[in-house]
Amino acid sequence: MLNVALIGLGYWGRNLLRVLSGNPRLKLAAVVDLRPDLKEKLALSHPGVAAHDDVAAVMTDPAIDAVVIATPVASHYMLARAALEAGKHVMVEKPMCASVAEATDLMARARLYGLNLMVDHTFLFHPAVRKLGELVHSGALGQISYFDSQRVNLGLFQPDVNVIWDLAPHDLSIINFLFGCQPIDVEASGYRHFDRGSADIAYLTLHYPGNLIAHLNLSWMSPVKVRRIAIGGSAQMAVWDDLNRDEPVKIYDSGITFHPQQDRERLLPSYRIGSVHSPRVAGPEPLVEVVEHFRRVILGEEACLTDGAFGLSIVRTLEQAQAQLDANFSRLGTLGPQEGTAAMRAVDQ
Amino acid sequence: MLNVALIGLGYWGRNLLRVLSGNPRLKLAAVVDLRPDLKEKLALSHPGVAAHDDVAAVMTDPAIDAVVIATPVASHYMLARAALEAGKHVMVEKPMCASVAEATDLMARARLYGLNLMVDHTFLFHPAVRKLGELVHSGALGQISYFDSQRVNLGLFQPDVNVIWDLAPHDLSIINFLFGCQPIDVEASGYRHFDRGSADIAYLTLHYPGNLIAHLNLSWMSPVKVRRIAIGGSAQMAVWDDLNRDEPVKIYDSGITFHPQQDRERLLPSYRIGSVHSPRVAGPEPLVEVVEHFRRVILGEEACLTDGAFGLSIVRTLEQAQAQLDANFSRLGTLGPQEGTAAMRAVDQ
Amino acid sequence: MLNVALIGLGYWGRNLLRVLSGNPRLKLAAVVDLRPDLKEKLALSHPGVAAHDDVAAVMTDPAIDAVVIATPVASHYMLARAALEAGKHVMVEKPMCASVAEATDLMARARLYGLNLMVDHTFLFHPAVRKLGELVHSGALGQISYFDSQRVNLGLFQPDVNVIWDLAPHDLSIINFLFGCQPIDVEASGYRHFDRGSADIAYLTLHYPGNLIAHLNLSWMSPVKVRRIAIGGSAQMAVWDDLNRDEPVKIYDSGITFHPQQDRERLLPSYRIGSVHSPRVAGPEPLVEVVEHFRRVILGEEACLTDGAFGLSIVRTLEQAQAQLDANFSRLGTLGPQEGTAAMRAVDQ
Amino acid sequence: MLNVALIGLGYWGRNLLRVLSGNPRLKLAAVVDLRPDLKEKLALSHPGVAAHDDVAAVMTDPAIDAVVIATPVASHYMLARAALEAGKHVMVEKPMCASVAEATDLMARARLYGLNLMVDHTFLFHPAVRKLGELVHSGALGQISYFDSQRVNLGLFQPDVNVIWDLAPHDLSIINFLFGCQPIDVEASGYRHFDRGSADIAYLTLHYPGNLIAHLNLSWMSPVKVRRIAIGGSAQMAVWDDLNRDEPVKIYDSGITFHPQQDRERLLPSYRIGSVHSPRVAGPEPLVEVVEHFRRVILGEEACLTDGAFGLSIVRTLEQAQAQLDANFSRLGTLGPQEGTAAMRAVDQ
């Protein structure tokens, strides 16, 4: 049975702990984290799992077959590289790492060593995304013209990344999954409202081949949580509202057709407003599927859906967006709020 | 009593007809429109109102004191100019005209002739916008950091303008009213999905003095209608959902405060999630208020809230956004869909 | 062309005025109402329509073919009877009249004189009710087991009827239309919160043949308006939310099936939770259809959907419910709030 | 430290297991359940907790101070009685037991033996119910005139109780908590749609002293889940929607006032439609509070909020409702669907 080690017990790491230890077809052998009471707590809750405060313990343990990395983004590269060098398969949290250079290096190493490198883009295993995939891939929506995402809520400021690196990977991975293509142009704008902080609001506009435009509205500053993706097609349109418990996915049998006029100068639009269909969207917990997929990928039973190349494609777009954001900040001569005018400034005294 | 002529009986013109003829303190003397059965219909429904198919009839009529122009944007300038030259006060539909040059010229003429020039930015008379104004101007929201608007629905393609000139004036006028300032930077991106069409989706990002960022998501291509403005302040946040009949305006007593840490390197955010308050929002029909305001402005009883300078400020931003959109289209080497690949192309045969 | 007179210009009467005068295939010849300025107002807005303050004027006018009665319920019987005796076809607002005795008498007279007697149960011409009719009559919902209606909002206290006579006719007419049957048992309970008032909250439970149970929750005392009907069938369930602009009718492909167990003592339920479908519900204004139906019924072009027998069936159920309510009030020894303890008593001093 | 035993590991029992073992101020010493693999599973997940398949093991164990009973209702009485006779404090799931006779007997025994008898009416520890309590008890709502609850969803048919005994205890306990009074009259009607089944839809109308009317709409047959309580007061009205994540409690500053007229014959109502306020509703998990309350009650630190008398008051109303339901079924000559006409009958072949 596959022996797996988990590095990092933050918010998502705790979910991985639960799911890894709940999969009867693999063995969670060790957990690495720095918090002082780890050993005691784990001994109580997961008696058979070793607890370490040093990654070396798992890297040098020949019994460990695979490592799952759930640490801050800045450390992804070094940890994944160390694990690959130690001959272990790797699953790393999204985003895969902090730059295209890092991602390319990791991919090359995995290939060289003949190891699997997978990125945990959990949303690709979400039943609603699977349903959207069916709709897009079957042609039910027709030719897709836009992808519009609003992903905003209050807070969860990340210490090491800005709102783009935090939230955009979700949408970018879904776009890649649905349309299988890379943006030909990336625009990004945003704002940071706090001194010494990173961008907390960002708007991304992405142009894709085939006349597809994507737009992401990302924010840590909204009092209301919104998780809503709209996809417009020539035949139908679909909206996924992740907070709508009863009807998360709606398919609108609505559209616009343009009719040429006699004189060929102008087209007359006609609107079709039809019924709305909300398919049953249900399935196992996505992370359970992710972990099982990782296991099967290692055993050669399945091709990896979110391999290094997939993860790299996301990081490339993030890097492009970051460059645009930086250019915009420079052009505007302001890296956020000015001293003395900070909109919502820190309580400094 | 003031004698008013109305030019144009399109969608909004018919509303103006109803409201102008319903105001007992002014007299709607004449209507100009080209549709053939105008005379008969008007004779039946508004027996005392003269019907013309030529604007000259009202321009040359010395009994007419003021002209209301509700025609396509392209004709605003010529008609407003003619009316001013004929010595008549003018109220023109939004946007005021098609360029800054036109707007400047109209303003100069109005000043020169001592006439009133007003733009019908109806939303400034909407009770929900008035309520937002109270919240912003009283300081109840604290320092404002963002304005985020989603204004999308299916269709109503305009023949003579793109989605920016059609929908952005609403948000721009509200921003001007709330914050009293002009953008220091305008970004615009968009897409046109149909041959020979104009942009039907557009995203505007506007930077304002005082660390305010505004974002407009405008579309004629959404199967679901959304009319939602979120305003984030340091003290509270407000959301206006124009389609929520029962609770259109919600005030969230939520926010984020940053606390400096010992080492001064990093700030620790704390989130405050408080109650939600939905004030009663009610009042007379906004257009009724607009028409009455125009009357009082002419009589010198009120200072004009949406005068030529106000209208010009909107047109300036629209012109900047259009320039950015054009630059973007050029850069991407595509003015919309390519021949043969049009996403939702016209049914040509 | 049919000459019609309208009696009563209250809330609904004004709608009838608009619709009757807008139907080009009949002529609204006269209006009767007691308000003093009727003649002047009508002369302005409807120049060709005679204005009277006495019903005798239309009853004795041989040019009038049909009379539409939109007065308080208490006067329905006398006016409808007078019109029938004068040889005129009659359409009367719902409920048809105040008792079964009155209804039976009107039906007999209409039959005797060979005149049409129609009740304006407008909802039967509503596109959503038509859609529900399709679903029930086609068998798409399977065998129906329950009809559950919530019809509550704040106020609109009627001076002459209680909440049952005001609101229940809507649901009762829809039940009759959908299922074509009369209740075999009527339970009613309610409350009157104000001295000298009538019941402002009422609950009706109706048992129908074929194992159908219907429940109506009626109130003038709810701060939130709700207009929601749920219909449960063995195959599917449908919900009509009249305040949901975008998706008023939803069809749930959900249900419960019971499987017998080996020992035949107990059944094991299995739940099916499927997709939700919201058909496009659109159509002409119901009242326009009502008026046109009345015209065609008189001309013999259509059989009357809501004739005297239909109206009588509603009145019979109302009478039964009233009797139950009265019995309940008597049993509880209280006809509403006691002196000195009135929940929301009148401001008496 | 208090030693507690838990009897029953069904749906709610598993929640109690989690919460009892998570409370550091008491010790979960033993669990009793009949499922065969209990010992193995519990040894893994809760190493220190003894597992038994016979209640005698805990009843005869002098180290056990208190017993928590989470078994089907029919067994509550015998188990609670045995525990009391064995000198143990008892917390029993709601409803307390199956009859007033049983409840009275348990109360008498608890008093006689000087032991605590508590019923787990969890909702009384729910932050939303606490908020409603504040609103009612502070007088903020004014005098209360109605309590209207809709508690419907699909399924969860209980084998041993009907929909009244399953769902009504929630509302009845909330009413008791809010208003501190017992109904002076209970009406109940309902339906059972399946052969050999119990009532799956029920409507309860309860009259309380002080002119308060309560209505419960209970169903296992609704495709849409609704958990909504509306409380109408003379000053304000409140609605709790348990499925509204963001704004579960809304307070409507709306109402009706009646003004007497000169002639004293009729009152003129005036409607006040004001703002809506949604207070922040948050707090610890209710069941955690229940368990901690039970601990403190045993230690004499707190008076029991839901003692035997409270539990009895709920059972009394349930018994009255059942009697009314039975009488109704008898009167209608049908105990549910007839052979051959079952609305949604079992798939028998």
Side-chain angles (χ1 to χ4, degrees), chain D residues 98-307:
Chain D
S99 71
V100 168
E102 289 180 357
T104 310
D105 181 75
L106 290 180
M107 278 181 67
R109 287 177 193 272
R111 203 177 306 116
L112 182 68
Y113 308 146
L115 294 165
N116 285 289
L117 172 62
M118 172 171 159
V119 187
D120 174 16
H121 283 290
T122 319
F123 263 131
L124 298 208
F125 296 82
H126 191 291
V129 174
R130 292 293 169 104
K131 177 59 71 177
L132 294 177
E134 279 173 44
L135 293 169
V136 169
H137 300 145
S138 71
L141 299 186
Q143 174 133 0
I144 307 303
S145 52
Y146 67 84
F147 175 100
D148 187 285
S149 173
Q150 201 171 5
R151 192 174 294 278
V152 308
N153 63 313
L154 194 60
L156 296 177
F157 276 74
Q158 302 294 320
D160 64 329
V161 295
N162 65 17
V163 75
I164 293 180
W165 288 79
D166 180 37
L167 298 180
H170 296 307
D171 296 300
L172 296 176
S173 68
I174 295 170
I175 293 173
N176 275 19
F177 170 68
L178 294 178
F179 309 113
C181 59
Q182 290 289 299
I184 51 179
D185 189 71
V186 176
E187 301 169 66
S189 190
Y191 214 75
R192 60 179 193 131
H193 289 89
F194 302 97
D195 292 351
R196 289 166 287 170
S198 50
D200 43 53
I201 289 183
Y203 310 107
L204 267 63
T205 306
L206 306 141
H207 296 267
Y208 285 85
N211 299 302
L212 169 66
I213 189 168
H215 186 258
L216 317 184
N217 183 336
L218 311 170
S219 173
W220 288 335
M221 298 281 288
S222 165
V224 194
K225 188 175 181 178
V226 182
R227 291 280 181 269
R228 185 180 179 279
I229 289 175
I231 301 175
S234 57
Q236 296 191 112
M237 303 186 184
V239 174
W240 172 30
D241 180 348
D242 197 16
L243 304 183
N244 186 330
R245 208 193 46 164
D246 294 326
E247 303 175 42
V249 174
K250 291 191 179 183
I251 306 160
Y252 295 82
D253 187 22
S254 299
I256 302 169
T257 311
F258 276 67
H259 308 278
Q261 300 305 97
Q262 275 303 87
D263 55 14
R264 315 277 306 167
E265 286 282 322
R266 207 175 123 197
L267 298 166
L268 212 67
S270 71
Y271 308 97
R272 179 171 47 83
I273 298 181
S275 60
V276 185
H277 187 73
S278 176
R280 170 92 170 132
V281 172
E285 183 186 348
L287 191 56
V288 169
E289 299 285 283
V290 167
V291 163
E292 176 62 10
H293 181 59
F294 182 44
R295 190 187 69 83
R296 292 190 190 155
V297 164
I298 293 173
L299 298 184
E301 298 174 5
E302 282 180 3
C304 189
L305 190 67
T306 54
D307 59 8

Side-chain angles (χ1 to χ4, degrees), chain A residues 211-263:
Chain A
N211 298 301
L212 170 67
I213 190 167
H215 185 259
L216 317 185
N217 185 335
L218 310 170
S219 172
W220 288 335
M221 298 281 287
S222 166
V224 193
K225 187 174 183 179
V226 183
R227 292 280 181 268
R228 186 181 178 279
I229 289 175
I231 300 175
S234 56
Q236 296 191 112
M237 304 186 182
V239 174
W240 173 31
D241 180 348
D242 198 16
L243 304 184
N244 185 331
R245 207 194 47 163
D246 293 327
E247 302 177 41
V249 174
K250 290 190 180 185
I251 306 160
Y252 295 82
D253 187 23
S254 299
I256 301 169
T257 310
F258 275 68
H259 307 278
Q261 300 306 96
Q262 274 305 85
D263 55 15

Side-chain angles (χ1 to χ4, degrees), chain A residues 55-337:
Chain A
V55 293
V58 302
M59 298 301 185
T60 58
D61 182 350
I64 301 289
D65 303 299
V67 168
V68 173
I69 300 168
T71 58
V73 177
S75 61
H76 283 189
Y77 170 69
M78 284 310 297
L79 289 171
R81 177 177 159 175
L84 291 169
E85 287 176 339
K88 294 164 194 335
H89 302 284
V90 168
M91 180 166 86
V92 63
E93 265 322 292
K94 61 92 203 163
M96 182 179 173
C97 48
S99 71
V100 168
E102 289 181 358
T104 311
D105 182 74
L106 289 181
M107 277 181 66
R109 287 177 194 274
R111 204 178 303 115
L112 183 67
Y113 308 146
L115 293 165
N116 285 289
L117 172 61
M118 173 170 158
V119 187
D120 174 16
H121 282 291
T122 319
F123 263 131
L124 299 208
F125 296 83
H126 192 291
V129 174
R130 292 294 169 101
K131 178 59 71 177
L132 293 177
E134 280 172 43
L135 294 169
V136 169
H137 300 144
S138 71
L141 298 186
Q143 174 132 2
I144 306 303
S145 51
Y146 68 84
F147 175 101
D148 189 283
S149 174
Q150 201 172 4
R151 193 174 293 279
V152 308
N153 62 312
L154 193 61
L156 296 176
F157 276 75
Q158 302 294 319
D160 65 329
V161 294
N162 65 18
V163 74
I164 293 179
W165 289 78
D166 180 37
L167 297 181
H170 295 308
D171 296 300
L172 297 175
S173 68
I174 294 170
I175 294 173
N176 275 19
F177 170 68
L178 294 179
F179 310 113
C181 60
Q182 289 290 300
I184 52 180
D185 190 71
V186 175
E187 300 170 67
S189 189
Y191 213 76
R192 59 180 193 129
H193 289 90
F194 301 96
D195 293 351
R196 289 166 288 169
S198 50
D200 44 51
I201 288 183
Y203 309 107
L204 268 63
T205 308
L206 306 141
H207 296 266
Y208 286 85
N211 298 301
L212 170 67
I213 190 167
H215 185 259
L216 317 185
N217 185 335
L218 310 170
S219 172
W220 288 335
M221 298 281 287
S222 166
V224 193
K225 187 174 183 179
V226 183
R227 292 280 181 268
R228 186 181 178 279
I229 289 175
I231 300 175
S234 56
Q236 296 191 112
M237 304 186 182
V239 174
W240 173 31
D241 180 348
D242 198 16
L243 304 184
N244 185 331
R245 207 194 47 163
D246 293 327
E247 302 177 41
V249 174
K250 290 190 180 185
I251 306 160
Y252 295 82
D253 187 23
S254 299
I256 301 169
T257 310
F258 275 68
H259 307 278
Q261 300 306 96
Q262 274 305 85
D263 55 15
R264 316 275 309 166
E265 287 282 323
R266 206 176 125 198
L267 297 166
L268 211 68
S270 71
Y271 308 97
R272 180 171 46 82
I273 298 181
S275 60
V276 185
H277 187 74
S278 176
R280 169 94 172 132
V281 173
E285 184 186 348
L287 192 57
V288 169
E289 299 284 283
V290 166
V291 163
E292 176 63 10
H293 181 59
F294 182 45
R295 191 188 68 82
R296 291 190 190 155
V297 163
I298 293 173
L299 298 185
E301 298 174 4
E302 283 180 2
C304 189
L305 189 69
T306 55
D307 59 9
F310 189 95
L312 163 62
S313 75
I314 307 298
V315 170
R316 177 177 293 122
T317 306
L318 292 172
E319 207 176 76
Q320 291 169 329
Q322 185 65 51
Q324 288 299 312
L325 187 71
D326 291 342
N328 241 326
F329 277 168
S330 297
R331 182 169 60 81
L332 290 168
T334 162
L335 289 154

Side-chain angles (χ1 to χ4, degrees), chain C residues 105-254:
Chain C
D105 181 76
L106 290 180
M107 277 182 67
R109 288 178 193 273
R111 201 177 307 116
L112 182 68
Y113 307 147
L115 293 166
N116 285 288
L117 172 62
M118 172 171 160
V119 187
D120 174 16
H121 284 290
T122 318
F123 263 131
L124 299 207
F125 297 82
H126 192 291
V129 174
R130 291 295 168 102
K131 177 59 72 178
L132 293 177
E134 280 173 44
L135 293 169
V136 169
H137 300 144
S138 71
L141 299 186
Q143 174 134 359
I144 307 303
S145 52
Y146 67 83
F147 175 101
D148 188 285
S149 173
Q150 200 171 5
R151 192 174 294 279
V152 309
N153 64 312
L154 194 61
L156 296 177
F157 276 75
Q158 302 295 318
D160 65 330
V161 293
N162 66 17
V163 73
I164 293 179
W165 289 78
D166 180 36
L167 298 180
H170 296 308
D171 295 299
L172 297 176
S173 68
I174 294 170
I175 293 173
N176 275 17
F177 171 68
L178 294 179
F179 309 111
C181 59
Q182 289 290 299
I184 52 179
D185 189 71
V186 176
E187 300 169 68
S189 189
Y191 213 76
R192 61 180 194 130
H193 289 91
F194 302 97
D195 293 350
R196 288 167 288 170
S198 49
D200 42 53
I201 288 183
Y203 310 107
L204 268 63
T205 307
L206 306 141
H207 296 266
Y208 285 85
N211 299 302
L212 171 67
I213 188 167
H215 185 258
L216 318 184
N217 183 335
L218 312 170
S219 173
W220 288 335
M221 297 281 288
S222 166
V224 193
K225 187 175 182 178
V226 182
R227 291 279 181 271
R228 184 179 180 279
I229 289 175
I231 300 175
S234 56
Q236 296 190 111
M237 303 186 185
V239 174
W240 172 30
D241 180 348
D242 198 16
L243 305 183
N244 185 329
R245 207 194 47 164
D246 293 327
E247 303 176 42
V249 174
K250 291 191 179 182
I251 306 160
Y252 295 82
D253 188 22
S254 299

